[in-house]
Amino acid sequence: MITVENNYFKIDTPNTTYLFKVNPLGLLEHIYYGKYIPNEEDYSFLEEMPGFGYGIEKEDASYHFHPNHSSNEVSFRGRGDNRELILEIEKDDDPECEFFYKGYDIINDFSIPGLPNALNKEATLVIHLYDSKKKLEFNLYYSTYKGNDVITKSTSLKNNDNKPITIRRILSSQLDIAKDDFILKTLDGLWAKERYIHAREVGYGVTKIGAQCGFSSSEHNPFILLEEKGTTLNSGDCYGLNLIYSGNHVEYIERSNVHKVRLLNGINDSSFAWLLSENEEFYSPEATLCFSSKGENELTHQYHRFINENIVRGYWQNRDHPVLLNGWEALTFTFNEEKLLKIAKRAKDLGFELFVLDDGWFGKRNGEKSSLGDWFPNLEKLPEGIKGLSKKVHDLGLLFGLWYEPEMISKDSDLFRKHPEFVLRHPDYEPLTMRFQYMLDLANPTVVDYLIETLSKSFNEGNLDYVKWDCNRVLSDCYSTYSKLQGETAHRYMLGLYRLLDTLTKRFPKILFESCASGGRRSDLGMLAYMPSFWCSDDTEPYERMKIQEGTLLAYPQSTIGAHVSDSPNKQTLRSSEIEDRFNVAMIGAFGYELDVTELSDIDTLSLIEEIAWYKENRHLLAYGDYYLTSSIFFDNYQSFYIVNPNKEEAIYFLGKKLFEFNSETIFAKVANLDPKETYLFKERRQNFDFYLERKRKLDNRKTEDFETFMANIKEIKPLTSEEQIVTLKGESLMNAGVRLYYEWGSGHLPKRIMTDFGTRVYKITKC
Ligand code: GLA
């Protein structure tokens, strides 16, 4: 709801209010962003007061304004505000500009050209500001979304003069908060360790988070969380910020000496420059903002809903993903059609729904060094091509998908030999490689057109149901002949990528696209606007994944997080784990397995069959239910969370431990957000773990090839039932007290939870 009255602009969501005004000097002052407040005649009870001793002033007879001290909706170079600014330009070597309020509009169909947008906007407030000296128009956009507390903000700059200007910085959102005692949480990491949660006090001066590698990056995700000190999972004030963009991003957090914090985010301005000629308009990507007065979980919850409803779109929105089998970790580049079909046949018997062939199916690709760009099948491995393989997999009753890395080119490829000019590179320097590959220049429209046609042909030929869109290096040599200034190239690359994705996802609306970038290097809202999920990390070892997923879940919903069960010991950590623990961790995401199912022991095969069946029964709840963290793997002794469906009929409770501990602490599985008056069944998911180790060893080694014999053999495997915890209780008891979970193994009397190091358990809660 947007209200404009007496020069006040008030943006309300169900639980929050965002408020600013035009002051008598024609400048915008920010007043408030926080818990909802009703409409008032005037808001002077909340507004800035003059003061603070010395400071630049802008004044007329009736109004004093201290630009460096007050809360400003936007700020510009040279006009007295010496903090970080939303906009920086240069015209004839002159950076100064001053924008005054000119008017506003409320529109219903706002969408940013060429960039991914949040859908289903309720309304958009457009504020028009004008600098009459420089003949520049600066527009601010604020949008609301039905039933959600997330608002989006963006900006655009139009040049109405016949002289060009250079934009040095154009961010998407500026927010001044008149408090300064905050904890900042960010999601940082690297390959195989993406989005760990890091918390620190916001110190004086500027903290800058961001990415400059061309992509949103695994180093620093664009999501940040600012919490008032004392905020917990379920209480306290906090602010979330994210960006609907996949390229270089920046977040400035500035604590100034007048008890204020300024938050800014947008395209990273380091190494950015854009030439804006007469009548041209530049649009920044949309920033998303959310405020919660009920702690982190509520903020997460608003973001999850916002993403599921307004970012993910098309056929796959709110739809269950098929259970996937990807052979990469088991096969890498070494396979032939016979081997693939043997795996696919077994996969069908076990309950899989989608079979994915990863890297190595095209050109002469037998290793990392060649063929990226040659998107035609390797007939030595696949004599009947992708067309033949796809038909045979479909005939087995499975969906079929392929891996691509479309933005890349290998030096040893037909594409490179034919079109060396397609490579993104500086004319004078040898281009840098990463994983032996170069990037294509997506700032060049011819390259984008070429990819649209080549990939369309390949997708059609393979009759594909799924595409894994990988991107295994970052931008360097950022030089394109299509840029007027080279500071434009990284953003022009993104515009080219978005045109490519927009065209292909519209042309193939039913293909399930999954974004990947050496694991989770491009896990952002921009990619999710085209692909409903991203491969979260190449690290699938369950304990590491608990951390990676907890960080990711802070900002992104379960449905968007690609999570697979892979082999043990894990290739990234060499840590061994039970297949049941690997499943318990992976089940919350866009789920599948990454192993050779023909090589599994009988006991693991049995577990896998039961896991897939259990997953299918619960997958909608797991992917789209409301997620609440109850104990953090980063800040507490163990991880626990629950996922509950909005009608409160069922929930799932997860517990994940660090190291086994003798005489471990008592854990109460509490599940709030149920119906207090209803009765629920609380039931542990039965796991196949037998602690008589000698017997387990024997079973681990037994692999029955023939599926019918296997089905006969498994009857003798006895799952461990001694610890299965089943309780019937009132919703109110489960919400207020919780179920006391059995103690961990450590001698003494049964029942006990047999939890080894990094062990996990899952409990299903169903209304009776
Ligand atoms: C990346 C991905 C993997 C796999 C390989 C193939 O590393 O993250 O999942 O697809 O590429 O080369």
Side-chain angles (χ1 to χ4, degrees):
M1 169 86 153
I2 296 169
T3 316
V4 183
E5 244 169 38
N6 305 334
N7 286 331
Y8 289 113
F9 296 88
K10 184 166 183 277
I11 300 161
D12 292 318
T13 70
N15 303 295
T16 73
T17 294
Y18 186 105
L19 183 69
F20 61 96
K21 70 167 182 182
V22 185
N23 72 18
L25 306 169
L27 301 168
L28 298 186
E29 284 185 55
H30 183 80
I31 301 174
Y32 175 79
Y33 182 36
K35 195 170 177 179
Y36 171 80
I37 53 167
N39 290 0
E40 303 275 0
E41 283 279 298
D42 81 279
Y43 298 90
S44 48
F45 65 96
L46 269 179
E47 288 178 42
E48 195 67 64
M49 296 178 198
F52 304 122
Y54 293 112
I56 296 282
E57 293 181 42
K58 180 150 178 101
E59 55 188 326
D60 64 12
S62 62
Y63 200 78
H64 286 269
F65 175 60
H66 293 248
N68 202 34
H69 293 162
S70 64
S71 299
N72 301 326
E73 192 58 23
V74 280
S75 310
F76 310 101
R77 169 70 56 229
R79 308 312 303 159
D81 186 343
N82 299 319
R83 291 166 284 182
E84 292 292 332
L85 312 165
I86 192 165
L87 181 77
E88 304 236 29
I89 58 124
E90 227 173 74
K91 186 173 185 175
D92 294 335
D93 195 32
D94 173 12
E96 194 135 336
C97 50
E98 187 164 46
F99 289 86
F100 290 99
Y101 175 73
K102 208 176 131 199
Y104 78 93
D105 288 305
I106 293 178
I107 56 177
N108 293 319
D109 53 355
F110 174 62
S111 124
I112 304 173
L115 287 170
N117 287 268
L119 296 176
N120 311 317
K121 290 177 167 55
E122 235 175 9
T124 301
L125 167 68
V126 191
I127 300 285
H128 306 285
L129 304 175
Y130 201 67
D131 181 332
S132 55
K133 306 283 183 258
K134 295 246 172 2
K135 298 201 179 131
L136 290 174
E137 202 177 306
F138 191 47
N139 298 306
L140 314 177
Y141 305 87
Y142 304 79
S143 304
T144 56
Y145 301 84
K146 195 162 183 276
N148 202 286
D149 285 332
V150 172
I151 58 170
T152 54
K153 289 171 68 182
S154 60
T155 55
S156 73
L157 186 72
K158 187 162 180 235
N159 187 1
N160 289 341
D161 198 10
N162 54 14
K163 272 193 179 167
I165 62 152
T166 303
I167 309 176
R168 294 272 168 219
R169 169 191 289 191
I170 178 163
L171 300 180
S172 302
S173 164
Q174 172 173 325
L175 174 67
D176 281 357
I177 304 170
K179 292 179 182 173
D180 68 346
D181 213 7
F182 287 107
I183 299 293
L184 172 68
K185 288 191 174 165
T186 53
L187 304 176
D188 325 273
L190 70 160
W191 175 75
K193 200 181 175 184
E194 295 89 341
R195 291 173 296 288
Y196 271 34
I197 302 177
H198 295 108
R200 73 290 227 166
E201 195 169 323
V202 176
Y204 285 97
V206 181
T207 305
K208 182 180 178 183
I209 313 290
Q212 281 196 74
C213 61
F215 299 134
S216 50
S217 92
S218 42
E219 281 80 7
H220 308 287
N221 193 266
F223 176 83
I224 64 166
L225 177 63
L226 193 73
E227 305 186 337
E228 264 192 55
K229 274 204 193 135
T231 295
T232 66
L233 289 173
N234 297 312
S235 71
D237 287 357
C238 52
Y239 303 81
L241 207 60
N242 206 340
L243 195 65
I244 309 180
Y245 191 60
S246 315
N248 291 333
H249 61 92
V250 74
E251 296 75 39
Y252 292 104
I253 303 97
E254 179 166 9
R255 181 179 185 178
S256 65
N257 52 6
V258 289
H259 299 294
K260 288 201 170 64
V261 165
R262 172 168 294 176
L263 289 182
L264 289 155
N265 73 336
I267 295 177
N268 198 326
D269 51 306
S270 306
S271 69
F272 173 85
W274 192 276
L275 195 79
L276 198 70
S277 303
E278 187 178 7
N279 284 329
E280 283 180 347
E281 187 160 8
F282 183 94
Y283 287 84
S284 71
E286 276 185 307
T288 66
L289 278 81
C290 188
F291 170 84
S292 154
S293 61
K294 294 185 193 150
E296 275 181 27
N297 272 331
E298 180 58 25
L299 190 114
T300 290
H301 179 60
Q302 294 292 336
Y303 262 111
H304 284 195
R305 285 221 175 146
F306 174 77
I307 294 167
N308 279 332
E309 286 165 17
N310 305 310
I311 297 291
V312 174
R313 61 203 64 191
Y315 180 80
W316 286 100
Q317 188 187 47
N318 206 27
R319 208 175 267 269
D320 295 338
H321 289 205
V323 182
L324 162 161
L325 179 64
N326 178 319
W328 170 249
E329 294 231 351
L331 304 172
T332 63
F333 299 100
T334 319
F335 55 83
N336 56 33
E337 193 189 83
E338 195 191 344
K339 174 78 182 161
L340 295 175
L341 289 173
K342 190 174 165 208
I343 296 176
K345 162 99 186 43
R346 175 53 75 103
K348 176 65 189 166
D349 289 337
L350 299 176
F352 282 95
E353 295 159 319
L354 163 64
F355 180 75
V356 176
L357 177 55
D358 208 280
D359 198 350
W361 61 267
F362 51 90
K364 298 190 178 65
R365 182 90 164 165
N366 291 314
E368 293 176 340
K369 291 191 176 162
S370 83
S371 304
L372 293 173
D374 298 345
W375 303 114
F376 47 83
N378 178 326
L379 295 179
E380 273 169 33
K381 293 181 193 176
L382 308 169
E384 291 179 40
I386 284 297
K387 198 171 177 184
L389 177 66
S390 167
K391 175 158 187 333
K392 286 174 198 165
V393 173
H394 281 130
D395 286 349
L396 286 172
L398 290 165
L399 301 170
F400 178 64
L402 275 185
W403 178 95
Y404 292 82
E405 206 179 345
E407 297 154 72
M408 303 296 157
I409 178 165
S410 304
K411 193 167 181 189
D412 178 11
S413 67
D414 290 355
L415 183 63
F416 185 87
R417 286 180 278 275
K418 203 166 162 205
H419 288 295
E421 79 284 5
F422 278 11
V423 174
L424 185 70
R425 61 167 299 181
H426 193 285
D428 299 336
Y429 302 101
E430 191 56 32
L432 297 168
T433 55
M434 187 166 156
R435 215 193 186 202
F436 311 101
Q437 60 205 53
Y438 300 135
M439 309 238 19
L440 290 171
D441 178 6
L442 266 58
N444 175 351
T446 317
V447 175
V448 175
D449 292 340
Y450 169 82
L451 285 175
I452 290 173
E453 292 324 312
T454 309
L455 294 170
S456 297
K457 190 163 165 263
S458 181
F459 294 175
N460 275 326
E461 211 168 274
N463 192 11
L464 299 184
D465 306 295
Y466 166 99
V467 164
K468 178 170 169 184
W469 185 292
D470 211 338
C471 175
N472 281 315
R473 64 158 291 177
V474 294
L475 259 60
S476 63
D477 307 273
C478 228
Y479 188 103
S480 171
T481 42
Y482 287 81
S483 300
K484 286 176 254 161
L485 301 173
Q486 287 313 319
E488 296 175 5
T489 305
H491 184 60
R492 286 195 184 276
Y493 181 97
M494 287 318 305
L495 294 174
L497 175 64
Y498 288 142
R499 179 163 77 85
L500 175 61
L501 297 179
D502 191 53
T503 313
L504 289 174
T505 51
K506 283 187 178 137
R507 214 176 256 187
F508 298 91
K510 286 203 173 164
I511 289 186
L512 173 58
F513 284 89
E514 180 162 17
S515 153
C516 176
S518 307
R521 187 187 286 126
R522 221 163 39 181
S523 305
D524 59 63
L525 298 178
M527 291 309 282
L528 288 178
Y530 303 98
M531 309 190 177
S533 65
F534 47 74
W535 179 228
C536 181
S537 174
D538 279 342
D539 195 343
T540 43
E541 189 275 310
Y543 177 58
E544 286 304 302
R545 265 294 177 130
M546 279 191 231
K547 294 188 257 179
I548 295 168
Q549 290 180 188
E550 185 180 311
T552 310
L553 281 161
L554 188 58
Y556 304 94
Q558 306 93 274
S559 63
T560 63
I561 296 177
H564 298 169
V565 173
S566 62
D567 235 330
S568 175
N570 181 270
K571 285 199 175 131
Q572 271 69 44
T573 63
L574 294 183
R575 194 180 283 140
S576 298
S577 59
E578 296 292 325
I579 195 167
E580 297 283 36
D581 291 323
R582 280 173 267 150
F583 168 75
N584 286 345
V585 173
M587 64 167 192
I588 59 118
F591 171 71
Y593 290 74
E594 273 246 357
L595 35 75
D596 182 349
V597 286
T598 63
E599 291 290 321
L600 288 179
S601 69
D602 282 3
I603 191 162
D604 279 359
T605 305
L606 172 65
S607 297
L608 181 144
I609 292 173
E610 292 179 357
E611 289 162 5
I612 292 181
W614 194 88
Y615 173 77
K616 285 180 181 168
E617 270 172 34
N618 294 294
R619 63 176 139 192
H620 202 76
L621 168 62
L622 286 163
Y624 297 103
D626 297 335
Y627 160 88
Y628 292 90
L629 185 68
T630 42
S631 182
S632 160
I633 198 83
F634 292 103
F635 307 109
D636 304 312
N637 288 339
Y638 56 89
Q639 183 182 70
S640 64
F641 60 79
Y642 61 87
I643 296 171
V644 56
N645 73 0
N647 61 19
K648 300 171 193 270
E649 282 182 349
E650 44 181 11
I652 284 164
Y653 179 89
F654 170 91
L655 170 71
K657 288 284 293 182
K658 295 180 185 170
L659 292 181
F660 168 79
E661 214 183 316
F662 192 80
N663 186 21
S664 61
E665 70 190 289
T666 311
I667 296 175
F668 293 91
K670 257 198 212 181
V671 180
N673 308 86
L674 292 174
D675 187 335
K677 299 281 168 275
E678 294 291 347
T679 302
Y680 290 90
L681 179 72
F682 179 93
K683 188 172 185 287
E684 183 170 339
R685 186 183 82 78
R686 201 186 66 190
Q687 297 189 191
N688 289 306
F689 178 83
D690 195 322
F691 73 101
Y692 295 106
L693 291 176
E694 195 43 48
R695 208 176 85 156
K696 177 163 159 45
R697 247 191 298 277
K698 266 193 222 143
L699 285 170
D700 275 350
N701 289 332
R702 198 179 69 192
K703 294 172 188 145
T704 312
E705 223 177 89
D706 171 63
F707 195 67
E708 274 173 28
T709 322
F710 161 78
M711 289 303 277
N713 282 349
I714 55 166
K715 292 202 180 92
E716 87 199 40
I717 299 177
K718 297 204 178 21
L720 189 76
T721 47
S722 62
E723 69 149 83
E724 223 179 329
Q725 207 169 357
I726 303 176
V727 185
T728 304
L729 75 173
K730 292 265 160 42
E732 203 161 6
S733 304
L734 194 47
M735 293 163 71
N736 296 351
V739 172
R740 179 195 284 262
L741 299 182
Y742 291 161
Y743 286 118
E744 281 170 36
W745 180 251
S747 82
H749 300 286
L750 291 176
K752 284 273 191 292
R753 258 185 301 131
I754 315 292
M755 301 256 304
T756 48
D757 291 346
F758 314 112
T760 61
R761 284 295 182 279
V762 165
Y763 304 83
K764 175 82 190 281
I765 295 117
T766 320
K767 196 170 99 182
C768 296

